[in-house]
Amino acid sequence: MATTDNVSTQDRLLDAAAELYREGVSLGVETLCRSAGVSKRSMYQLFASKDEVLAASLARRLPEYEERLAPGPQEPGGPRERILHVFERLEKGSADPAYRGCPYLAALVELKDPEHPASAVARGAKEWLLGFFRAQAEEGGARDAGLLARQLMLVFDGASARAGAGIETLDGLTTTTVTALLDASGTR
């Protein structure tokens, strides 16, 4: 059973990891521990490795990520509106000067190791979004729900990466693009 001090130490590590990893995942244990204000010994008592800290940090943020993107069950609208909601949220989030793109896509791109514990968490986040898009596409009567879901993922990930790198401003760009995809697929 974790003591209050261990929970606090764990929270500090995960908070520091979330903040530091916004700039990239290739940082050392010393930097992570210094930022969290904990010793390496304390970190290794809680986590097997720095990789496990990254995975736990990404997993901890997943419910907030899903809640931020997906419309709630009480929100009105059909499948088309629920899909567009995700892209409206992306556009809104990307307008924040601190926006660095999708943390799950960034982890997958940087790590390039499918066996890395954080890659598994990041893949799960991307599979959740793909599943959301596919379910909405099916419910909305898309001619090929699987293809539409993959196309929506390409738009989401590409727009997120470009906005996160400061290359693109998304104001209306993704919703216009997605509307054309939804029209072409017959999604209501």
Side-chain angles (χ1 to χ4, degrees):
M1 183 169 151
T3 66
T4 303
D5 185 45
N6 283 345
V7 171
S8 175
T9 299
Q10 182 174 349
D11 285 342
R12 287 196 324 259
L13 277 165
L14 295 177
D15 289 344
E19 187 59 35
L20 291 170
Y21 291 138
R22 290 170 45 94
E23 302 301 324
V25 298
S26 60
L27 62 102
V29 171
E30 288 187 28
T31 302
L32 174 62
C33 290
R34 186 174 42 253
S35 179
V38 302
S39 68
K40 286 194 281 186
R41 179 175 183 243
S42 293
M43 186 198 91
Y44 286 118
Q45 286 175 336
L46 292 167
F47 297 96
S49 66
K50 179 185 73 135
D51 295 348
E52 294 293 332
V53 176
L54 174 57
S57 175
L58 288 171
R60 181 184 190 209
R61 295 165 50 194
L62 192 53
E64 186 269 329
Y65 175 80
E66 293 174 355
E67 184 178 304
R68 184 171 20 98
L69 288 177
Q74 283 74 30
E75 291 188 42
R80 183 182 184 94
E81 289 78 21
R82 288 191 288 273
I83 290 169
L84 284 168
H85 176 87
V86 172
F87 291 93
E88 290 164 358
R89 301 299 299 194
L90 172 61
E91 288 178 3
K92 182 179 180 186
S94 72
D96 182 337
Y99 183 75
R100 297 290 181 265
C102 174
Y104 301 100
L105 177 63
L108 288 168
V109 169
E110 283 189 59
L111 293 171
K112 295 176 183 43
D113 175 5
E115 300 304 314
H116 192 287
S119 291
V121 174
R123 249 189 338 275
K126 291 301 173 180
E127 288 168 3
W128 166 81
L129 189 55
L130 179 67
F132 173 83
F133 286 148
R134 184 181 185 106
Q136 298 309 309
E138 286 172 353
E139 187 179 329
R143 284 184 283 283
D144 187 339
L147 175 62
L148 177 59
R150 290 174 51 221
Q151 291 170 324
L152 294 171
M153 286 301 296
L154 285 174
V155 172
F156 183 91
D157 286 344
S160 177
R162 289 182 61 81
I167 297 169
E168 193 73 62
T169 302
L170 300 183
D171 189 28
L173 183 61
T174 62
T175 52
T176 302
T177 303
V178 168
T179 297
L181 283 172
L182 295 172
D183 290 345
S185 71
T187 303
R188 312 176 299 284

